[in-house]
């Protein structure tokens, strides 16, 4: 769940689309060489296994589900169980770096998050996985697919696009509110909610953020946010970026499903040509929902994913 990232059809974006996002010939080389120096972290995960598997084990054609900013694997628990059931495949719901129970690291950008997922695939011996990512997780999936296409069978990118976009963001305010909660020595969820209400009117968003509260030690009464707030605050300026600029130099030639919310502004019509340039075998599905379409319209999301991933006769 990545709140407030809105790709606007600016003159720069229109020019990028019309010009095919031309970039320096050295762009791809710089990106790949920098990726080789990335220090990865081991990702914590939940494995959801189907009652009637259609694959021999959890390493064969698994699905990896990735959350958005300020989210965690528990946000995807329900949909992961449903996809495991309907597709007969094992589903790994992961916590990306600096989220949930995964380790914290000073670097937080898409190349780093993609490197973590790539290492996760290698360490667990996963073969031909499907990547499903929402918002920040969607850009992570796209980045890994373009960077290491041999590791990935296909992707499902949920309400985000392979572009650099301006952040029209409430993130900084949310982080300020969460820091205030941390300083308050609160012991009650209701007290933390009262503090956050100064920073966000929507109860839905507040409850989402409060899902990151925890007691850092057994027996502790005070609750704090498990997120590394200073690290994420520094990363905000980069989370609207996309590391690949030139689809003439790098493409993902395997199937890709892009799902967007009809009431969301994250994937405007203007960026569809760019999606096709980076992901020439893409399918676009519109779901009657806003940005949080997995929770807003889970049945439509489920149908789109199952239709995309079901074996074709």
């Amino acid at each position: 769940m990545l709140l407030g990232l809105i790709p606007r059809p600016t003159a720069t974006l229109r020019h990028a689309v019309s010009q095919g996002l031309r970039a320096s010939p050295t762009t791809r080389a710089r990106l790949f060489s920098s990726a080789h120096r990335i220090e990865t972290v081991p990702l914590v995960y939940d494995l959801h296994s189907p009652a009637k598997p259609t694959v021999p084990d959890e390493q064969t054609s698994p699905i990896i589900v990735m959350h958005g900013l300020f989210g965690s694997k528990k946000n995807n628990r329900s949909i992961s169980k449903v996809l495991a059931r309907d597709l007969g495949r094992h589903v790994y719901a992961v916590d990306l770096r600096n989220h949930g129970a995964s380790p914290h690291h000073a670097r937080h950008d898409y190349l780093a998050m993609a490197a973590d997922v790539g290492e996760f695939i290698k360490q667990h011996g996963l073969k031909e996985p499907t990547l499903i990512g929402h918002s920040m997780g969607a850009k992570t999936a796209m980045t890994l697919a373009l960077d290491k296409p041999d590791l990935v069978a296909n992707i499902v990118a949920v309400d985000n696009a392979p572009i650099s976009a301006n952040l029209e963001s409430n993130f900084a305010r949310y982080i300020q509110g969460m820091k205030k909660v941390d300083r308050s020595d609160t012991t009650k969820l209701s007290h933390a909610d009262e503090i956050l209400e100064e920073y966000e009117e929507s109860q839905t968003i507040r409850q989402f953020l409060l899902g990151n509260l925890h007691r850092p030690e057994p027996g502790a009464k005070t609750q704090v946010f498990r997120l590394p707030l200073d690290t994420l605050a520094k990363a905000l300026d980069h989370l609207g970026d996309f590391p690949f600029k030139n689809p003439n130099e790098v493409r993902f030639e395997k199937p890709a499903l892009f799902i967007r919310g009809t009431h969301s502004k994250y994937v405007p019509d203007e960026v569809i040509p760019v999606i096709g340039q980076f992901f020439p075998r893409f399918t676009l599905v519109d779901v009657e929902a806003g940005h949080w379409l997995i929770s807003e319209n889970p049945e439509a999301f489920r149908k789109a994913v199952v239709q995309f991933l079901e074996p074709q006769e």
Side-chain angles (χ1 to χ4, degrees):
M1 185 179 299
L2 179 55
L3 313 172
L5 176 59
I6 299 180
R8 296 184 174 277
T10 60
T12 301
L13 177 57
R14 290 194 297 269
H15 177 74
V17 172
S18 65
Q19 294 299 314
L21 293 180
R22 294 174 183 169
S24 164
T26 62
T27 298
R28 185 169 182 266
R30 288 200 303 270
L31 289 171
F32 275 59
S33 62
S34 66
H36 295 159
R37 296 193 298 270
I38 294 173
E39 180 181 2
T40 61
V41 303
L43 302 181
V44 175
Y45 67 95
D46 288 336
L47 175 60
H48 302 279
S49 298
K52 298 179 180 180
T54 59
V55 292
D57 53 45
E58 62 269 18
Q59 294 174 304
T60 303
S61 300
I63 298 170
I64 302 173
V65 182
M66 294 168 284
H67 58 81
L69 183 62
F70 300 146
S72 72
K73 59 182 172 18
K74 67 182 181 181
N75 301 131
N76 293 316
R77 184 177 300 148
S78 296
I79 194 63
S80 295
K81 291 179 179 179
V82 168
L83 293 177
R85 178 199 69 196
D86 290 354
L87 293 166
R89 293 165 61 177
H90 299 269
V91 179
Y92 292 83
V94 301
D95 282 336
L96 297 175
R97 64 168 55 199
N98 295 316
H99 288 74
S102 284
H104 297 173
H105 194 282
R107 179 170 178 176
H108 192 84
D109 57 41
Y110 292 114
L111 284 173
M113 286 184 278
D116 291 341
V117 178
E119 188 63 22
F120 180 88
I121 292 170
K122 294 176 184 176
Q123 289 296 322
H124 290 269
L126 305 184
K127 295 168 285 188
E128 298 189 335
T130 292
L131 304 184
I132 299 178
H134 175 245
S135 205
M136 182 182 76
K139 278 193 172 180
T140 301
M142 288 184 266
T143 299
L144 181 58
L146 291 170
D147 192 1
K148 305 290 184 183
D150 291 343
L151 288 181
V152 181
N154 44 49
I155 70 167
V156 178
V158 185
D159 218 48
N160 217 333
I163 60 169
S164 293
N166 296 325
L167 283 174
E168 183 179 290
S169 177
N170 294 319
F171 295 146
R173 190 170 76 246
Y174 296 155
I175 289 176
Q176 290 173 4
M178 287 187 279
K179 285 184 175 181
K180 187 172 182 179
V181 171
D182 282 352
R183 295 192 301 267
S184 70
D185 295 328
T186 185
T187 59
K188 295 182 178 180
L189 188 65
S190 58
H191 181 217
D193 186 54
E194 290 176 2
I195 294 172
L196 282 185
E197 194 171 5
E198 303 173 25
Y199 299 86
E200 174 53 54
E201 293 181 358
S202 169
Q203 185 179 27
T204 300
I205 295 176
R206 295 200 309 273
Q207 291 301 311
F208 168 68
L209 296 173
L210 290 169
N212 291 291
L213 276 180
H214 77 135
R215 291 182 171 86
E217 298 175 359
K221 294 183 178 180
T222 300
Q223 298 186 70
V224 296
F225 283 94
R226 66 169 70 243
L227 299 165
L229 297 174
D230 287 337
T231 297
L232 294 178
K234 293 176 182 177
L236 292 183
D237 288 342
H238 305 292
L239 289 179
D241 296 339
F242 189 68
F244 295 98
K245 310 299 181 186
N246 190 352
N248 293 320
E249 295 176 345
V250 56
R251 289 186 179 88
F252 184 68
E253 303 284 354
K254 301 175 185 179
L257 173 63
F258 283 75
I259 305 177
R260 63 177 180 174
T262 55
H263 305 297
S264 173
K265 298 180 180 178
Y266 281 59
V267 189
D269 291 343
E270 289 86 354
V271 307
I272 294 176
V274 181
I275 294 174
Q277 289 171 348
F278 279 115
F279 300 92
R281 294 181 62 188
F282 86 103
T283 301
L284 178 66
V285 172
D286 287 340
V287 167
E288 186 70 18
H291 181 55
W292 306 351
L293 64 90
I294 298 177
S295 59
E296 292 177 37
N297 197 340
E299 178 59 15
F301 174 79
R302 183 198 68 81
K303 287 182 178 179
V305 173
V306 170
Q307 182 177 1
F308 175 69
L309 292 179
E310 277 183 334
Q312 302 298 315
E313 295 183 356

